[in-house]
């Protein structure tokens, strides 16, 4: 039997979770996008969040990072309440995110896209990724980061305007923007979606390397196979509520998860035939 | 043979290695002069301009042109590097003008003190008043910033403060007309090259990032409103500087400083000169303001001709003179036989 990762993590570190979400609710007018969702993230783990379309996955990211105001609930980062902080303060603490719809600075070359986060107060204070932000020349540092994230250094790619880059590079650029801040937590909103199989194949080791560097990751994904390979723990959302939580095997064995993904009728039909 | 006479146009890039924009690898004096030439033409041309003018009247036109050029520069900076389309040029001029007027008449400060003080303090006032509108984007910011000059002018008129409709009179002029002209020209040149340098620094990159998408700036842990406020301060201080000079030239400060001319003409100049080039708007002003003066001979038909010229520019050279000129300068064309 698989060990309970959650309790194992607690025993290992013996400290409180790095991020604790306490009964977050969010209503857009009459639509309850999130309804009392609580969960914990421990340092160094990869938490996967899955769920059907419209189940509130992106809303939860927006609530944690402060991009939208929650109706009720609290977010604790290392025991500190960050519920009412503006997004730039939360990012300044080291909770960074990627955007599902990529948001590069389209008119700037790829490497200039990273000069901007390297210029931020956090990068200046912490030194940024691998301490490069403290060095004078941010242009060189940004090309170093781009190389690490999978841009070929000696090609023309890092110098190309972001609007001309293909999706795969833009997704990496999103991750690179987070890395430039020397983050504690990266929340990846569907970094695998829209990528080809080979692009994903090269992305998975990158995610694993980030985890080894001690970065905590929350990954929102629809590509379950790749997610299950990297994630330590999976949480399932449906209609703004937490359905279940556990290892990938446990979660996929859950009848409610199947029902949420395939529809309850279908599952009953399948069960009948089986 | 018929084929021998067929020719086609060939476009060739000038031989200069450009790795990325703004970063040149200069290999020879020829390449250096190739880059320096347009800049020198601009600087020397502007400095010679007052000497070439036939009389007092046209020298005054040049001075006013430079004030419009300051406004156009501030509009272009805000619109193309920060993404704030500001129609508040008249507001900046008015605030700067009234500030200089008050400092001069009540505190007795000379022009060389009032102009920089009015620019610095006026920029602060404009930024504070625009602060609530900074979260707005695009056309919404444009509408709100258009309201400000109208609002202040009506308040002064209705409450009869600051001289009411008569304005503030008895303001000192510059010591002589040469000081007046060269003071404004030198300031225009300094600000033009200063702003160009600013937009290529890391702070300038952040400002361009704000224009491209402010959400990513937020996600990078930077306060978008603070950067927008900083940009508005720079732009409005430039406008206030122009207004303060204007007041000392006319020796009078009145509600007409909030006239929409100061908001609209810089935009027209930016369209003609080429947005985003910073030099373009200055060039646009150097074309538009004198044309508007020349057309005074036509009396009331002036606006008609003015509008026709603008429409022609927008239809035939919608990219703007500078963008077109830069492209032609960096590439040359020749006819070759096929």
């Amino acid at each position: 039997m698989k060990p309970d990762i959650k309790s194992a993590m607690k025993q290992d570190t013996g400290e409180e979770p790095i991020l604790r979400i306490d009964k977050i609710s969010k209503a857009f007018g009459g639509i309850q996008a999130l309804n009392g969702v609580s969960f914990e993230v421990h340092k160094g783990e990869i938490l996967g969040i899955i769920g059907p379309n419209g189940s509130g996955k992106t809303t939860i990211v927006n609530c944690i990072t402060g991009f939208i105001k929650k109706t009720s609930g609290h977010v604790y980062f290392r025991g500190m309440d960050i519920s009412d902080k503006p997004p730039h303060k939360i990012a300044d603490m080291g909770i960074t995110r990627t955007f599902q719809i990529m948001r590069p600075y389209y008119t700037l070359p790829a490497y200039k896209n990273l000069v901007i986060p390297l210029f931020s107060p956090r990068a200046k204070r912490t030194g940024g990724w691998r301490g490069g932000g403290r060095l004078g020349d941010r242009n060189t540092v940004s090309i170093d980061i781009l190389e690490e994230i999978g841009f070929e250094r000696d090609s023309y790619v890092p110098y190309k305007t972001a609007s001309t880059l293909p999706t795969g590079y833009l997704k990496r650029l999103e991750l690179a923007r987070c890395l430039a801040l020397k983050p504690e937590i990266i929340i990846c909103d569907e970094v695998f979606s829209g990528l080809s199989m080979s692009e994903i194949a090269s992305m998975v080791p990158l995610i694993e390397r980030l985890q080894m560097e001690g970065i905590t990751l929350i990954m929102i994904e629809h590509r379950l196979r790749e997610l299950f390979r990297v994630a330590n723990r999976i949480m399932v959302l449906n209609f703004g509520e937490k359905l279940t939580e556990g290892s990938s095997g446990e979660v996929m064995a859950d009848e409610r998860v199947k029902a949420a993904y395939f529809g309850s009728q279908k599952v009953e039909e399948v069960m009948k035939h089986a | 043979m018929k084929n021998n006479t067929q020719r086609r146009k060939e476009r060739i890039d000038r031989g200069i290695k450009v790795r990325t924009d703004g970063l040149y690898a200069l290999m020879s004096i020829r390449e250096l002069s190739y880059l320096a030439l347009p800049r020198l033409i601009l600087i020397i041309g502007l400095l010679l301009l007052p000497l070439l003018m036939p009389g007092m009247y046209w020298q005054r036109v040049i001075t006013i042109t430079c004030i419009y050029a300051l406004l156009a520069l501030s509009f272009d900076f805000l619109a193309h590097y920060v993404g704030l389309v500001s129609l508040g040029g008249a507001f900046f001029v008015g605030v700067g003008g009234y500030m200089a007027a008050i400092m001069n008449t009540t505190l007795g400060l000379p022009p060389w003190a009032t102009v920089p003080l009015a620019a610095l303090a006026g920029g602060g006032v404009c930024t504070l008043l625009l602060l609530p509108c900074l979260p707005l984007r695009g056309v919404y910011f444009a509408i709100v910033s258009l309201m400000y000059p109208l609002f202040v002018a009506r308040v002064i008129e209705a409450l009869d403060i600051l001289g009411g409709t008569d304005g503030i009179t008895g303001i000192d002029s510059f010591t002589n007309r040469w000081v007046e002209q060269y003071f404004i020209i030198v300031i225009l040149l300094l600000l033009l090259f200063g702003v160009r340098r600013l937009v290529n620094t890391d702070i300038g990159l952040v400002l361009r990032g704000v224009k491209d998408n402010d959400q990513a700036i937020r996600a990078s842990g930077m306060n978008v409103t603070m950067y927008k406020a900083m940009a508005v301060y720079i732009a409005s201080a430039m406008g206030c500087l122009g207004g303060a000079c204007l007041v000392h030239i006319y020796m009078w400060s009145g509600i007409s400083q909030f006239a929409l001319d100061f908001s609209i003409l810089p935009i027209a100049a930016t369209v003609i000169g080429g947005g985003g080039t910073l030099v373009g708007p200055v060039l646009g002003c150097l074309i538009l303001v004198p044309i508007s003066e020349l057309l005074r001979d036509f009396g009331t038909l002036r606006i008609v001709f003015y509008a026709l010229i603008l429409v022609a520019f927008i239809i035939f050279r919608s990219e703007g003179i500078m963008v077109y000129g830069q492209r032609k300068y960096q590439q040359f064309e020749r006819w070759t036989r096929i």
Side-chain angles (χ1 to χ4, degrees):
Chain A
M1 202 182 144
K2 277 190 176 180
D4 184 359
I5 290 163
K6 195 175 156 187
S7 60
M9 284 271 179
K10 260 184 185 163
Q11 279 165 6
D12 275 352
T13 54
E15 59 185 354
E16 59 177 323
I18 189 164
L19 197 67
R20 188 157 68 84
I21 281 79
D22 186 26
K23 292 200 187 77
I24 278 190
S25 294
K26 173 69 195 177
F28 295 108
I31 297 165
Q32 195 73 31
L34 284 177
N35 197 0
V37 177
S38 311
F39 61 96
E40 290 175 353
V41 188
H42 299 274
K43 184 157 176 53
E45 76 169 334
I46 296 183
L47 171 71
I49 301 181
I50 61 172
N53 291 336
S55 58
K57 301 183 298 294
T58 300
T59 308
I60 225 167
V61 179
N62 284 335
C63 283
I64 294 171
T65 51
F67 276 83
I68 57 175
K69 284 203 164 62
K70 31 207 160 290
T71 318
S72 66
H74 294 276
V75 180
Y76 298 93
F77 174 61
R78 294 194 161 145
M80 199 195 340
D81 192 352
I82 57 163
S83 313
D84 298 320
K85 290 210 186 308
H88 67 269
K89 285 268 171 60
I90 293 175
D92 194 60
M93 292 170 139
I95 306 176
T96 58
R97 65 170 295 183
T98 70
F99 289 97
Q100 185 179 1
I101 302 154
M102 289 89 70
R103 294 171 180 274
Y105 309 110
Y106 280 109
T107 56
L108 300 178
Y111 78 102
K112 288 280 184 194
N113 269 265
L114 289 192
V115 173
I116 294 175
L118 282 174
F119 186 72
S120 69
R122 179 179 173 84
K124 282 181 185 164
R125 198 172 59 236
T126 60
W129 186 241
R130 305 239 188 280
R134 278 210 201 89
L135 300 172
D137 190 6
R138 298 192 180 88
N139 293 330
T140 350
V141 179
S142 65
I143 288 174
D144 287 345
I145 298 176
L146 283 178
E147 188 185 27
E148 189 159 344
I149 210 92
F151 281 62
E152 298 82 359
R153 176 190 278 270
D154 294 328
S155 71
Y156 192 58
V157 188
Y159 306 100
K160 277 179 99 163
T161 312
S163 58
T164 62
L165 289 174
T167 317
Y169 282 112
L170 289 180
K171 292 274 181 190
R172 283 161 194 272
L173 199 57
E174 283 279 314
L175 260 181
R177 175 168 53 70
C178 297
L179 278 186
L181 289 174
K182 198 176 186 187
E184 310 245 350
I185 302 174
I186 301 180
I187 307 178
C188 304
D189 199 349
E190 299 201 13
V191 279
F192 292 154
S193 67
L195 300 187
S196 69
M197 291 311 286
S198 62
E199 280 171 328
I200 293 177
S202 62
M203 202 86 155
V204 168
L206 180 69
I207 301 282
E208 284 168 342
R209 203 163 74 232
L210 293 183
Q211 188 187 21
M212 282 193 284
E213 300 265 358
I215 296 172
T216 313
L217 284 118
I218 301 175
M219 298 190 67
I220 290 179
E221 263 322 316
H222 277 306
R223 307 289 295 246
L224 299 186
R225 192 183 311 164
E226 289 81 11
L227 180 68
F228 290 165
R229 202 184 128 189
V230 292
N232 303 112
R233 204 152 54 87
I234 303 287
M235 185 176 88
V236 189
L237 286 179
N238 192 27
F239 290 115
E241 286 179 25
K242 186 163 111 178
L243 217 54
T244 181
E245 192 181 334
S247 71
S248 54
E250 288 166 11
V251 161
M252 287 324 276
D254 196 311
E255 287 303 322
R256 291 171 302 169
V257 177
K258 285 182 188 165
Y261 262 92
F262 305 116
S264 49
Q265 251 186 336
K266 184 98 176 182
V267 170
E268 274 163 28
E269 255 172 56
V270 171
M271 297 306 277
K272 234 184 274 170
H273 286 294
Chain B
M1 291 265 282
K2 206 183 173 188
N3 274 0
N4 276 355
T5 56
Q6 269 190 346
R7 296 194 301 169
R8 72 179 175 88
K9 223 177 196 177
E10 197 179 38
R11 281 219 182 98
I12 299 166
D13 284 353
R14 280 182 201 276
I16 186 159
K17 298 275 179 289
V18 183
R19 195 177 187 191
T20 172
D21 51 357
L23 196 67
Y24 299 97
L26 295 176
M27 304 300 283
S28 67
I29 293 289
R30 200 164 148 261
E31 287 181 358
L32 186 73
S33 61
Y34 164 76
L35 281 182
L37 191 69
R39 289 158 178 79
L40 283 177
I41 289 178
L42 178 77
I43 294 170
I44 295 172
L46 263 181
L47 288 176
L48 285 181
L49 214 48
L51 302 172
L52 299 176
M53 285 299 122
M56 278 273 285
Y57 175 75
W58 280 102
Q59 287 181 340
R60 181 52 62 83
V61 170
I62 291 301
T63 320
I64 303 296
T65 305
C66 288
I67 288 172
Y68 273 113
L70 272 179
L71 287 171
L73 182 62
S74 105
F75 172 81
D76 194 28
F77 169 63
L78 272 190
H80 291 100
Y81 290 94
V82 197
L84 293 171
V85 180
S86 157
L87 296 176
F91 179 58
F92 303 156
V93 169
V95 170
Y98 269 93
M99 282 217 147
I102 294 164
M103 283 181 203
N104 187 249
T105 49
T106 59
L107 302 177
L109 293 172
W112 60 261
T114 57
V115 171
L117 279 177
L120 293 177
V125 170
C126 292
T127 312
L128 270 182
L129 289 173
L130 282 169
L131 210 52
C133 326
L134 287 186
L136 300 176
R137 265 179 285 186
V139 73
Y140 302 99
F141 183 81
I143 292 168
V144 175
S145 60
L146 178 65
M147 182 216 65
Y148 273 87
L150 304 173
F151 174 79
V152 179
R154 293 297 153 262
V155 166
I156 291 174
E157 194 180 345
L159 300 181
D160 205 19
I161 47 171
L162 301 171
T165 45
D166 293 337
I168 301 173
T169 50
I171 299 165
D172 294 340
S173 68
F174 288 99
T175 29
N176 63 53
R177 64 195 164 99
W178 296 108
V179 172
E180 168 188 310
Q181 290 171 63
Y182 278 103
F183 178 67
I184 294 170
I185 286 176
V186 168
I187 278 185
L188 174 64
L189 283 173
L190 284 178
L191 284 174
L192 175 61
F193 285 102
V195 171
R196 262 174 69 122
R197 189 157 276 220
L198 174 78
V199 297
N200 284 321
T201 58
D202 288 354
I203 297 178
L205 271 183
V206 177
L207 292 178
R208 282 152 83 175
V210 169
K211 187 206 168 197
D212 268 8
N213 82 68
D214 50 356
Q215 299 287 317
I217 294 280
R218 274 199 190 97
S220 304
M222 279 178 281
N223 191 343
V224 171
T225 313
M226 198 196 79
Y227 277 100
K228 276 186 178 174
M230 200 187 74
V232 167
Y233 180 79
I234 294 169
S236 57
M238 277 194 275
C240 289
L241 188 90
C245 292
L246 200 69
V247 158
H248 285 294
I249 292 168
Y250 286 153
M251 298 192 284
W252 172 78
S253 165
I255 293 177
S256 67
Q257 252 130 36
F258 290 105
L260 285 183
D261 282 14
F262 293 114
S263 295
I264 304 303
L265 198 134
I267 300 175
T270 308
V271 169
I272 283 186
T277 56
L278 295 175
V279 190
V282 174
L283 222 62
C285 280
L286 283 170
I287 293 168
L288 276 188
V289 180
I291 282 182
S292 137
E293 289 301 319
L294 281 175
L295 290 176
R296 278 192 196 280
D297 297 342
F298 292 99
T300 40
L301 278 177
R302 183 170 82 110
I303 300 298
V304 175
F305 285 108
Y306 197 64
L308 281 178
I309 291 170
L310 271 181
V311 168
F313 255 111
I314 288 164
I315 291 174
F316 296 110
R317 279 283 164 265
S318 55
E319 56 189 352
I321 294 171
M322 260 325 275
V323 181
Y324 176 78
Q326 273 174 352
R327 208 177 59 229
K328 288 286 163 192
Y329 188 65
Q330 277 153 10
Q331 284 184 330
F332 59 91
E333 292 169 345
R334 67 177 179 198
W335 289 99
T336 49
R337 266 198 201 155
I338 303 172

